[in-house]
Amino acid sequence: MINILIADDHTMFVDGMESILKTEVDLFVAGRSYDGPSVIDFLKENKVNLVLLDVNLPGMNGIEVCKEITASYPDVKVLAISMFNEESFVSEILNNGAKGYLLKNTGREELLKAIRTVAAGESYFSKDVTETIMKGLMNQRKASAKSNAFFPKLSRREKEVLKLIAQEFTTQEIADSLFISLKTVESHRSSLLSKLNARNSVGLVRIAIENDLLQ
Amino acid sequence: MINILIADDHTMFVDGMESILKTEVDLFVAGRSYDGPSVIDFLKENKVNLVLLDVNLPGMNGIEVCKEITASYPDVKVLAISMFNEESFVSEILNNGAKGYLLKNTGREELLKAIRTVAAGESYFSKDVTETIMKGLMNQRKASAKSNAFFPKLSRREKEVLKLIAQEFTTQEIADSLFISLKTVESHRSSLLSKLNARNSVGLVRIAIENDLLQ
DNA sequence: TTATTTTTGGGGGTTTACCCGAAGTTTTAT
DNA sequence: ATAAAACTTCGGGTAAACCCCCAAAAATAA
């Protein structure tokens, strides 16, 4: 008998999940949680073998909940469930002790198989999720190049000018607001174009937004 | 007897929903669809009283599906279901013929009540959804300026030009790639500036990125 | 201390973006 | 079906952006 705790803030989903599990003789729904903290509370009082854990949980993030579970209750298996096949979610929660990761578009049979596999101590991932992980590993180099790692360092003034450009101010307006010459602003803009390898201000702003350089 | 079609791309969710409805003697799950077009196909061949329709459906948007249903099958009631309590979604799909709107964190009892209410020809909304609608009506002016609901509609050509602007192409390059005059491209840019209320191309691209208009 | 980067700015020129107007076509609404 | 609205297509003119050259004071790093 596998004692299961379902943790998801979508009641409708929990109801449905319970209906599925109820038909199986070897599975028992020991409890239901609609937020992070109540999962921890429940584990204190009850004997649970496996937690069906939604990654996007309110109150306390699913990843934190998972971390807490594997730290305090190493025997309790965690099967993560999410709407999203996003590499960041998958790798995050796997690094925090989850034994499997399912998407919510997984079918009934695969769900049951995943539960039994994880409860037996093995790992289980949706096919799509496996692909995502592989892709993530393959693009590791590319990802690190894209992120802040090799990102050109911008000076204080350049950042100021960049922010004002992104707010649709003209060069003259930027000059006035910073109390410097129009030529100076153009000089900063030119440096930005060169550093960020952009062809024009549109490129500057696109790159700035993509790299969260504004505000 | 209420014949129901469940339309949601999350298999797990559909399975669960079916498990719930199966226990009710007056409800019958006539079919399941995992994308927009198959909903329309199913209605052609089968007698259905009510469609449980996910707003965020792949292939064909839930809103378009709803429009199609109410146009071709006015007797079929649509009960919209969504993860998100967003004013734009709610008002959009209600304007396209849906008789009710539920969130996925709705409980089993409320789900059954909603189905029976809508099937009887009345409307049903989650409490949270009702609040959202009210809030939306009160902030109508603010909403029209901010949310996607009343977002200016861009023409095919305008979107093409916008995407190319965001890719840092000059007007001449855009003209060459679209086989139109430089002046025509500038005209489209001008329309975009007016519609999106931007001062320059930087603003266009910022707004485009914020509203996910690219790609 | 010395070297490097940053910030500041000028002169002069080319290219691009933006504004005003306008005509023919297509789409939408009544 | 017919009027209204929107879309696509351009020309002429001006303001702004972008580019090249350069260089000195100030701050920062070695």
Side-chain angles (χ1 to χ4, degrees):
Chain A
M1 174 68 78
I2 304 173
N3 288 304
I4 300 172
L5 170 63
I6 307 177
D8 195 313
D9 59 316
H10 299 99
T11 317
M12 207 179 274
F13 180 82
V14 177
D15 280 341
M17 183 82 73
E18 192 167 357
S19 294
I20 293 176
L21 302 187
K22 227 186 277 182
T23 62
E24 303 298 309
V25 289
D26 59 332
L27 308 182
F28 176 69
V29 179
R32 314 157 49 130
S33 291
Y34 301 100
D35 56 60
S38 71
V39 172
I40 308 300
D41 289 344
F42 189 88
L43 293 180
K44 276 181 198 155
E45 312 279 337
N46 300 274
K47 167 73 187 157
V48 170
N49 302 112
L50 184 145
V51 179
L52 281 172
L53 180 65
D54 186 9
V55 177
N56 313 96
L57 221 49
M60 187 177 172
N61 196 306
I63 283 139
E64 294 172 52
V65 175
C66 187
K67 197 175 183 178
E68 179 74 30
I69 292 174
T70 45
S72 304
Y73 308 93
D75 290 341
V76 177
K77 308 287 193 294
V78 175
L79 177 51
I81 303 182
S82 170
M83 288 274 289
F84 311 106
N85 187 7
E86 257 202 39
E87 204 265 334
S88 58
F89 286 174
V90 179
S91 58
E92 265 291 324
I93 203 154
L94 292 186
N95 283 332
N96 282 290
K99 293 293 182 297
Y101 193 104
L102 287 183
L103 297 180
K104 285 196 180 175
N105 61 359
T106 301
R108 172 197 172 90
E109 295 310 319
E110 189 175 359
L111 166 66
L112 296 175
K113 186 179 171 192
I115 289 176
R116 290 179 181 122
T117 304
V118 170
E122 295 173 56
S123 293
Y124 192 96
F125 306 102
S126 296
K127 189 165 157 290
D128 292 345
V129 173
T130 308
E131 278 175 21
T132 299
I133 297 172
M134 291 305 174
K135 208 180 290 176
L137 287 176
M138 285 172 66
N139 294 6
Q140 210 162 17
R141 190 180 309 171
K142 204 176 173 185
S144 67
K146 252 191 170 181
S147 83
N148 310 353
F150 294 115
F151 196 82
K153 196 181 135 205
L154 302 185
S155 71
R156 174 187 127 263
R157 219 39 163 176
E158 284 165 351
K159 284 184 207 160
E160 284 177 355
V161 171
L162 179 53
K163 283 176 197 169
L164 293 169
I165 290 173
Q167 287 167 46
E168 301 172 51
F169 290 113
T170 67
T171 306
Q172 186 61 61
E173 287 167 346
I174 295 171
D176 292 345
S177 99
L178 295 180
F179 304 105
I180 54 180
S181 146
L182 184 140
K183 277 294 180 184
T184 306
V185 177
E186 288 195 334
S187 172
H188 289 310
R189 183 202 303 271
S190 177
S191 302
L192 286 165
L193 289 173
S194 166
K195 282 186 178 179
L196 301 184
N197 198 30
R199 293 180 70 189
N200 51 38
S201 293
V202 162
L204 289 185
V205 171
R206 187 181 46 73
I207 293 167
I209 293 175
E210 282 173 1
N211 294 81
D212 218 36
L213 257 54
L214 309 178
Q215 282 148 32
Chain B
M1 175 67 80
I2 304 173
N3 288 305
I4 300 172
L5 171 62
I6 306 177
D8 194 313
D9 58 315
H10 300 98
T11 318
M12 209 181 274
F13 180 81
V14 177
D15 281 341
M17 184 82 73
E18 192 168 357
S19 295
I20 293 176
L21 303 187
K22 229 185 276 180
T23 63
E24 304 297 308
V25 289
D26 60 330
L27 308 181
F28 176 69
V29 178
R32 316 158 46 132
S33 291
Y34 302 99
D35 57 62
S38 69
V39 172
I40 308 300
D41 290 343
F42 189 87
L43 293 181
K44 276 182 199 151
E45 311 279 337
N46 300 273
K47 167 73 185 159
V48 169
N49 301 111
L50 184 144
V51 178
L52 280 172
L53 180 64
D54 186 8
V55 177
N56 313 96
L57 220 51
M60 186 180 176
N61 195 308
I63 283 139
E64 294 171 54
V65 176
C66 187
K67 196 174 183 176
E68 179 75 29
I69 292 174
T70 46
S72 305
Y73 309 94
D75 290 341
V76 177
K77 307 288 191 296
V78 175
L79 177 51
I81 304 184
S82 171
M83 286 275 287
F84 311 105
N85 187 6
E86 258 202 40
E87 202 266 334
S88 58
F89 285 175
V90 178
S91 60
E92 265 292 324
I93 203 155
L94 292 186
N95 283 332
N96 283 290
K99 294 291 181 297
Y101 193 105
L102 287 183
L103 299 179
K104 285 197 178 174
N105 60 359
T106 302
R108 173 198 171 90
E109 294 311 319
E110 189 175 359
L111 167 66
L112 295 174
K113 188 181 170 191
I115 289 176
R116 291 180 180 122
T117 305
V118 170
E122 297 174 54
S123 294
Y124 191 96
F125 306 101
S126 295
K127 189 165 156 288
D128 292 344
V129 173
T130 309
E131 279 176 21
T132 298
I133 297 171
M134 292 305 173
K135 208 180 289 176
L137 288 176
M138 286 171 65
N139 297 3
Q140 209 164 14
R141 189 177 310 169
K142 202 176 174 185
S144 68
K146 263 195 166 180
S147 99
N148 310 1
F150 298 111
F151 195 81
K153 198 181 134 205
L154 301 184
S155 72
R156 176 189 121 263
R157 223 36 165 176
E158 285 163 351
K159 283 185 210 158
E160 287 177 350
V161 171
L162 179 53
K163 283 174 198 168
L164 293 169
I165 291 174
Q167 286 167 47
E168 300 171 55
F169 291 114
T170 67
T171 307
Q172 187 60 61
E173 288 167 345
I174 295 170
D176 293 344
S177 98
L178 296 181
F179 303 105
I180 55 182
S181 147
L182 184 140
K183 281 297 174 184
T184 305
V185 177
E186 291 195 332
S187 171
H188 290 309
R189 183 202 302 271
S190 178
S191 301
L192 286 165
L193 289 174
S194 166
K195 282 186 177 179
L196 300 185
N197 197 30
R199 295 181 68 189
N200 51 39
S201 293
V202 163
L204 289 185
V205 171
R206 188 180 46 73
I207 293 168
I209 293 176
E210 283 172 1
N211 295 81
D212 218 35
L213 258 54
L214 309 177
Q215 281 149 35

